[in-house]
Amino acid sequence: MDQAAGDIVLNVGSGSTDGMAPGEQGLPPMLLELDRVTKRYGNMEVLKDVSLHVRKGDIVGLLGDNGAGKSTTVNVISGVVQPDEGELRWMGQVKQLTDRRASAELGIETIFQNSALVDSMTIARNIFMGREMVGPMGFMRQREMREIASEVLKTIVAIEGIDSPDKLVGQLSGGQKQAVAIARAVHFNRTLLVLDEPTSALAVRATEALFDYLRHLRERGITSILVTHNLFDAYRICDRFVAMAHGQVVLQAKKGEVTVDDLVEVVSRGRLSSKEEREAAGVPAS
Amino acid sequence: MAQTLAPAPGGPLGFGARMGSMRRSPGFQYRLQQSAVDILAIFLILQVASIIFSLADPGTFAFTSTANLLVAFQTIPLLGVVAVGVGILMIAGEFDLSVGANYLFSSLMMAQIYQDYHIDIWLCAVIGLAIGTGIGFLNGLITLRLHIPSFITTLGTMGIWEAAALFFHGASSQVFTPPNSFMVLTNGSFGWMAGEMVWFVGICIAAWALLQRHALGNHIFAAGGGPQAAISSGVDVFRAKMIAFSLAGGLAALAGILAAANVGDVSPEVNSTIPLEAIAACVIGGAALTGGRGTVLGIFLGAILLYWIQDVLLLLSAPGFYLTAFVGALVIAAAVMYQYLQARRT
Ligand SMILES: Nc1ncnc2c1ncn2[C@@H]1O[C@H](COP(=O)(O)OP(=O)(O)OP(=O)(O)O)[C@@H](O)[C@H]1O
Ligand SMILES: [Mg+2]
């Protein structure tokens, strides 16, 4: 429990999540844990002993430079790739996620910028894709689906420019698409949203709006993992940070325990400088 | 860019709350855009023009004569039924170039079994349909299990089933003399309305119900429009595509059977333009070659338009080779038109 005061884990070689047992006093329950996950492509270790945890209701920033292993971690969480070693726990139970559907069944929704929705289909059809409301003989309850879709658009998204559930998703902007994908996840009671680089294609206002939206979801108890290399964005919205470099988790910290400069440093150098190094550089130790 | 993602629960949407229920609502306009309204407009203009010319000069341009209409209504469905299957498969993101060979092989087998063994004709027809569906199913299995483009798979099976027709039957043509009850239900006519056309319209209605009203239709659109998104949303893309492949095969066989009844024999010679004309009808009707987009009404009108060109050229006694050129030009024009419309709307 040596890290109980903070939640900082530095340069964890074989970092396990000890001290993070579910039901720990005063903290929200544990939702997702990766425990020493290793993934190799050929003889290249893309993930090395990655351990991280996500508690219910948090917005967790998964940070790292290009090639750090963020997307691979997301793929493990969403069942797209299977780890070679280590395990994934969902609400304390070990799970083998064989494909994306397995993760979706748990309540994990992964939203990739461009592959969450089908452009050539309407918003309403997208919202119910794979989860159609059907009546006798598998025929769709079209009217009900349309009504619910417009309700979802009104209450969960409320975005300008989406004036009808009959609009094609291909006619929406990147931010609007993302909003629809998130709204769908919320409507179907997903517990964990994983957003891989959601802001990379968004302008300033759309990014702001997305963040407001994630905060709003947090109030409803929905947990998010935000994958990004924009550390300033992450710093503003996230409750916790998991920083990766070269396939390893190099920092886990709560907001308030680190500064944005710390994040920049840990992501770019793969570690935080020691007290001595900082003093040598004339930076006051925090 | 006026887009905001306001978190407001129950927040305002910037337009009347009763969306979708009003006639001129945005929803109505979007639905109109997604319908086959473009091709319908062109179609109606051409038909009205043809009818006017025909009434003005019935001697040389006998477009509205009963004989001309009956032949049209007997011939259009032979391509149209194939095109509906090919169109469903195109929406699912795959192609079937073996529909011509399938059309031949299934109907040839049906005719041969019927003539040689005198089994009940309806049973023979079911066998023919089963063969066609099986050919489609096999195309799907090879494509999806071995992960090769369906274009290649079906180019290969096209050759195989063409050869199989000659192998099982030989080069001579197969007579087909079904009992009257079968003829009436496939090939009967009432004035200018032909039995084939009734089948075609029925199949179009069934295909529309499948694509627009059935959950499987939603999966077919999703499988073709965005397979990754579909899989992650829990759509069984494999199943949706397998069903589309099988339908394309089954409908090709049905068209072959209708043709056999119409002609009275089956010549083991492949009409090699069938697959391309079927794809052309779909493209003219607004189906996207990239998958995920298309309407049954569009395919229906596309098939009629393809025939209409042949008919008009014939009535104007143009040489036969004009026809292929016109069909080619029409396909390109249609593709350009839809690309333009698409670019304007997205
Ligand atoms: N399918 C694969 N086969 C081989 N190597 C892979 C594969 N997927 C990822 N990698 C490698 O794994 C490393 C981590 O990739 P990953 O996509 O997880 O990085 P990332 O942190 O998401 O980077 P970015 O910010 O650029 O998206 C990279 O070096 C990449 O080349
Ligand atoms: Mg990435």
Side-chain angles (χ1 to χ4, degrees):
Chain A
M1 297 292 282
D2 49 337
Q3 287 147 2
D7 186 6
I8 301 189
V9 186
L10 280 176
N11 288 326
V12 272
S14 60
S16 68
T17 49
D18 45 7
M20 294 296 122
E24 199 179 0
Q25 295 249 309
L27 289 171
M30 197 65 85
L31 195 60
L32 173 81
E33 294 158 275
L34 294 189
D35 195 1
R36 297 182 211 195
V37 165
T38 296
K39 177 71 197 171
R40 293 183 203 91
Y41 285 115
N43 50 20
M44 183 173 144
E45 276 200 330
V46 173
L47 296 181
K48 285 172 227 158
D49 277 334
V50 166
S51 296
L52 59 87
H53 65 270
V54 176
R55 285 180 190 278
K56 191 159 178 8
D58 274 353
I59 300 180
V60 175
L62 182 57
L63 317 174
D65 214 342
N66 291 124
K70 305 182 297 294
S71 294
T72 309
T73 306
V74 168
N75 286 340
V76 169
I77 294 170
S78 53
V80 175
V81 305
Q82 286 69 45
D84 297 314
E85 284 162 36
E87 60 187 29
L88 178 148
R89 285 192 292 273
W90 178 254
M91 298 182 178
Q93 306 219 327
V94 176
K95 299 280 177 190
Q96 309 273 351
L97 302 181
T98 46
D99 54 20
R100 261 181 98 163
R101 241 192 289 180
S103 75
E105 272 161 23
L106 295 180
I108 300 173
E109 179 103 355
T110 316
I111 298 163
F112 297 102
Q113 173 86 36
N114 285 321
S115 69
L117 304 173
V118 177
D119 278 355
S120 59
M121 291 166 75
T122 64
I123 296 170
R125 280 183 156 219
N126 262 287
I127 286 178
F128 288 97
M129 176 168 59
R131 290 171 277 217
E132 292 84 2
M133 301 172 67
V134 292
M137 291 171 67
F139 282 96
M140 294 189 286
R141 301 218 296 270
Q142 201 100 351
R143 173 181 283 263
E144 241 167 295
M145 280 164 52
R146 262 228 293 284
E147 271 161 17
I148 292 175
S150 55
E151 202 55 39
V152 166
L153 291 181
K154 250 182 283 186
T155 57
I156 309 183
V157 211
I159 318 165
E160 276 176 45
I162 304 189
D163 47 5
S164 162
D166 292 324
K167 197 166 185 170
L168 290 181
V169 165
Q171 294 172 313
L172 301 178
S173 77
Q176 291 170 335
K177 281 185 199 174
Q178 209 138 33
V180 170
I182 296 172
R184 177 178 68 166
V186 174
H187 176 70
F188 285 103
N189 286 322
R190 298 309 203 196
T191 24
L192 175 64
L193 300 184
V194 184
L195 301 119
D196 195 356
E197 303 283 359
T199 54
S200 58
L202 300 189
V204 183
R205 278 179 52 192
T207 304
E208 273 323 294
L210 176 70
F211 285 179
D212 278 349
Y213 185 50
L214 289 180
R215 289 190 191 103
H216 165 64
L217 293 180
R218 175 170 58 193
E219 273 151 36
R220 297 175 52 163
I222 293 167
T223 315
S224 320
I225 297 179
L226 182 70
V227 179
T228 181
H229 40 223
N230 189 331
L231 305 173
F232 297 94
D233 274 359
Y235 196 75
R236 285 179 28 244
I237 173 129
C238 297
D239 306 308
R240 278 186 69 242
F241 310 100
V242 176
M244 298 184 67
H246 312 297
Q248 286 177 300
V249 173
V250 290
L251 173 97
Q252 288 201 64
K254 283 183 186 146
K255 188 171 193 161
E257 294 170 346
V258 285
T259 65
V260 72
D261 292 329
D262 292 338
L263 293 180
V264 172
E265 191 172 356
V266 79
V267 162
S268 55
R269 296 185 40 181
R271 63 186 178 91
L272 270 182
S273 24
S274 64
K275 206 172 171 185
E276 295 75 41
E277 282 172 319
R278 288 181 195 218
E279 276 162 1
V283 183
S286 50
Chain B
M1 286 305 295
Q3 53 150 320
T4 50
L5 283 151
L13 263 179
F15 64 92
R18 298 180 56 226
M19 92 184 145
S21 60
M22 296 178 294
R23 282 249 102 187
R24 295 238 112 226
S25 67
F28 176 73
Q29 285 173 23
Y30 292 129
R31 287 202 294 278
L32 197 65
Q33 276 180 13
Q34 293 153 25
S35 71
V37 65
D38 319 302
I39 183 81
L40 184 63
I42 294 174
F43 178 82
L44 290 177
I45 292 169
L46 291 177
Q47 294 306 314
V48 169
S50 301
I51 290 169
I52 291 173
F53 276 117
S54 162
L55 294 179
D57 189 3
T60 50
F61 192 75
F63 185 74
T64 49
S65 69
T66 307
N68 191 47
L69 283 178
L70 181 60
V71 172
F73 283 15
Q74 283 175 336
T75 318
I76 291 167
L78 302 185
L79 176 66
V81 169
V82 181
V84 169
V86 166
I88 292 172
L89 186 57
M90 255 169 86
I91 292 171
E94 305 286 350
F95 289 101
D96 189 347
L97 298 180
S98 69
V99 282
N102 185 341
Y103 175 103
L104 168 73
F105 184 75
S106 307
S107 57
L108 191 62
M109 288 301 108
M110 172 202 65
Q112 189 173 352
I113 292 170
Y114 175 70
Q115 300 298 140
D116 291 0
Y117 303 101
H118 304 288
I119 304 173
D120 181 68
I121 179 60
W122 296 102
L123 183 61
C124 294
V126 168
I127 292 173
L129 287 176
I131 292 173
T133 309
I135 290 174
F137 187 86
L138 197 64
N139 283 336
L141 214 54
I142 295 171
T143 303
L144 302 175
R145 279 289 178 245
L146 303 180
H147 305 285
I148 52 175
S150 50
F151 196 78
I152 301 297
T153 310
T154 55
L155 196 62
T157 53
M158 172 170 88
I160 293 171
W161 296 110
E162 265 179 50
L166 292 171
F167 179 80
F168 286 112
H169 180 78
S172 64
S173 104
Q174 167 71 51
V175 290
F176 183 52
T177 51
N180 213 29
S181 62
F182 187 78
M183 291 302 285
V184 167
L185 282 168
T186 54
N187 191 31
S189 62
F190 187 79
W192 41 260
M193 181 43 86
E196 287 90 343
M197 198 64 185
V198 176
W199 279 93
F200 184 30
V201 170
I203 295 236
C204 282
I205 292 170
W208 172 83
L210 169 72
L211 288 175
Q212 299 298 335
R213 288 290 177 267
H214 198 275
L216 180 60
N218 221 32
H219 296 178
I220 287 174
F221 275 103
Q228 278 312 314
I231 290 168
S232 60
S233 304
V235 171
D236 192 339
V237 168
F238 176 77
R239 174 171 164 271
K241 288 194 172 189
M242 284 304 290
I243 291 173
F245 270 111
S246 307
L247 279 176
L251 288 176
L254 176 62
I257 293 168
L258 291 176
N262 183 305
V263 178
D265 62 43
V266 186
S267 147
E269 198 177 291
V270 179
N271 181 348
S272 60
T273 60
I274 288 179
L276 290 178
E277 281 191 13
I279 291 173
C282 297
V283 171
I284 292 168
L289 286 165
T290 45
R293 201 155 47 80
T295 62
V296 176
L297 178 61
I299 295 166
F300 178 80
L301 298 176
I304 298 180
L305 270 184
L306 265 190
Y307 177 83
W308 174 86
I309 290 198
Q310 306 181 28
D311 190 30
V312 167
L313 289 176
L314 216 67
L315 288 171
L316 299 175
S317 40
F321 59 83
Y322 274 33
L323 181 68
T324 31
F326 264 91
V327 170
L330 189 66
V331 172
I332 294 172
V336 170
M337 179 185 90
Y338 286 113
Q339 188 142 12
Y340 168 76
L341 288 173
Q342 178 91 338
R344 262 189 17 162
R345 282 170 188 170
T346 56

